[in-house]
Amino acid sequence: MMRFEDEFHGVRRRSLLGLAVGGLMLPAFPLAAAVPDRTFRITMVLGRGESDNEYGFKDYLARHGLTVDYTIRDTGGDPARLPAIVEEIKDTRPDLVYSFGTPQTRGIVGPFDDADPRRHVTDIPVVFTFVAAPVDAKIVHDLGRPGRNVTGTIHIAPIAVQLNTILAYRPIRRLGIVYNPQERNSVLTIEGLRVEMALRGLELVEEPVPLNDRGEPVAAAVPDALARVAARGAEVLYIGPDTFIAFHNRSVVAAEALRLRLPTFSVTELIVRTDKAMLALASSAYGIGRFTAFKAAQILIDRTDPADIPVETLKRFSVIINMATVRALEYYPPIGLLNFAEIIES
């Protein structure tokens, strides 16, 4: 059985966050079986173009000697494109399907209690990534043993650890969130936040983005939703695993929050690195891609059934702080947090 080991670059420590945190996680392990002298075919189904996640996935397999012919299909966030992609997969029968995000993965494999072989991929191995809550989304029965042709990786820290990070930065009473009510990831995150916030005696200030007559979130309404969160007394804006907010509208969200002098916390790294959100607790997208590839290699090389491969997340997360935003807001972190955070100066 192949093993995945984290090579942790930086100081190892247990922190007040409840998890070890630090820099980039790099996998290293011996292959359990010889790599076949053949070309594997992998169809990658994306929702927002190629990213560090996919680069990490490809790099991992290449570095471990696998020759792969990739077919890239991108929904562009439009679920109406998935049926044709599923039909193509069923016709071409690749060795493996890589799926990015909850909407793509659910569309490909279907819910575990209602998968239809005529409409879903049920007999080809699928590995997913950037799915925040695969059990709640009914992608797998159980994280420890998926029980079907699907396994993968989770990219975010538990909600309790996220809140520990926010409160370690500075105590607050109200946490705000603007979200797309049409994204299942976002709805599940809201439900989890409500429970955890109530346990701590804190208030969650929620603002769903209005929908148009086609049931789609209105991008032009995002600034007003952010203004309402600020007006209702939110002390920090929570940016969850919401593709509409954290990816498609990330520049507007980060800039508008800064204009409103509203500190931001994200569960993914991109909006902090590229758009000046303030704080993140995140796994490296590149590292998550490599971890996902490790699971793919178990299927392709070890011939392990995905039904028996656990769905996991990396065990360490990085605290990432954008100091340019910190200075603009004059919202400084404690020295203890700076001791192990990754600092961005841009």
Side-chain angles (χ1 to χ4, degrees):
M1 176 62 68
M2 304 161 78
R3 290 192 310 117
F4 184 94
E5 299 172 352
D6 290 339
E7 293 176 359
F8 184 57
H9 292 260
V11 179
R12 290 180 182 240
R13 68 180 74 227
R14 280 282 164 185
S15 74
L16 68 169
L17 306 181
L19 285 180
V21 292
L24 179 64
M25 289 68 67
L26 298 176
F29 64 88
L31 291 172
V35 177
D37 184 17
R38 55 165 292 195
T39 299
F40 293 98
R41 294 182 302 118
I42 296 179
T43 297
M44 304 184 92
V45 184
L46 313 179
R48 59 190 198 189
E50 288 192 69
S51 66
D52 282 351
N53 215 87
E54 288 68 53
Y55 303 145
F57 183 92
K58 292 179 177 180
D59 180 64
Y60 184 93
L61 295 183
R63 285 175 181 268
H64 286 84
L66 279 75
T67 301
V68 181
D69 179 18
Y70 292 97
T71 298
I72 311 296
R73 296 292 179 261
D74 195 336
T75 69
D78 182 1
R81 297 181 182 178
L82 280 170
I85 293 173
V86 169
E87 281 304 309
E88 179 185 354
I89 291 169
K90 292 165 76 69
D91 288 342
T92 59
R93 300 197 62 80
D95 298 294
L96 184 114
V97 177
Y98 167 104
S99 177
F100 183 100
T102 300
Q104 282 71 235
T105 306
R106 286 236 331 165
I108 292 168
V109 303
F112 58 68
D113 58 353
D114 192 30
D116 184 346
R118 296 168 298 179
R119 296 183 295 112
H120 303 122
V121 176
T122 60
D123 59 351
I124 299 170
V126 177
V127 292
F128 62 78
T129 189
F130 267 64
V131 173
V135 174
D136 290 335
K138 292 191 172 184
I139 291 169
V140 296
H141 296 266
D142 180 83
L143 297 181
R145 190 176 185 279
R148 59 190 308 209
N149 64 313
V150 186
T151 189
T153 57
I154 301 170
H155 62 296
I156 64 173
I159 287 176
V161 179
Q162 298 170 25
L163 291 178
N164 287 349
T165 307
I166 294 170
L167 296 173
Y169 193 106
R170 189 173 297 187
I172 64 169
R173 300 294 302 171
R174 294 184 183 89
L175 182 68
I177 182 169
V178 173
Y179 67 99
N180 175 11
Q182 294 295 84
E183 282 195 43
R184 187 169 179 83
N185 268 349
S186 298
V187 173
L188 293 171
T189 298
I190 287 284
E191 293 172 357
L193 282 170
R194 287 171 183 161
V195 172
E196 191 63 34
M197 294 284 283
L199 290 173
R200 298 167 188 249
L202 305 176
E203 180 183 347
L204 185 63
V205 180
E206 306 172 25
E207 283 289 344
V209 177
L211 306 177
N212 61 22
D213 55 6
R214 298 185 301 277
E216 302 164 338
V218 179
V222 169
D224 286 343
L226 291 167
R228 288 193 296 273
V229 162
R232 292 173 60 191
E235 297 159 84
V236 170
L237 177 70
Y238 177 98
I239 303 170
D242 184 315
T243 301
F244 178 79
I245 293 294
F247 182 76
H248 293 303
N249 290 281
R250 66 183 190 275
S251 296
V252 171
V253 170
E256 192 64 16
L258 187 58
R259 188 187 71 80
L260 293 166
R261 301 195 61 79
L262 186 60
T264 42
F265 168 83
S266 175
V267 302
T268 54
E269 63 179 342
L270 182 64
I271 193 170
V272 175
R273 294 191 184 280
T274 65
D275 299 277
K276 295 189 176 181
M278 187 188 77
L279 171 68
L281 178 69
S283 289
S284 152
Y286 186 84
I288 286 288
R290 293 187 64 153
F291 194 20
T292 308
F294 158 69
K295 294 184 178 293
Q298 286 182 289
I299 295 167
L300 298 174
I301 304 304
D302 281 350
R303 311 297 296 175
T304 305
D305 189 335
D308 299 322
I309 299 175
V311 175
E312 301 173 278
T313 187
L314 289 172
K315 299 301 187 290
R316 295 178 176 89
F317 298 87
S318 294
V319 174
I320 307 168
I321 299 175
N322 190 307
M323 287 303 295
T325 303
V326 166
R327 286 190 287 269
L329 293 171
E330 298 182 328
Y331 198 86
Y332 294 96
I335 294 299
L337 200 61
L338 288 173
N339 283 340
F340 53 76
E342 178 186 349
I343 303 302
I344 297 173
E345 290 283 0
S346 63

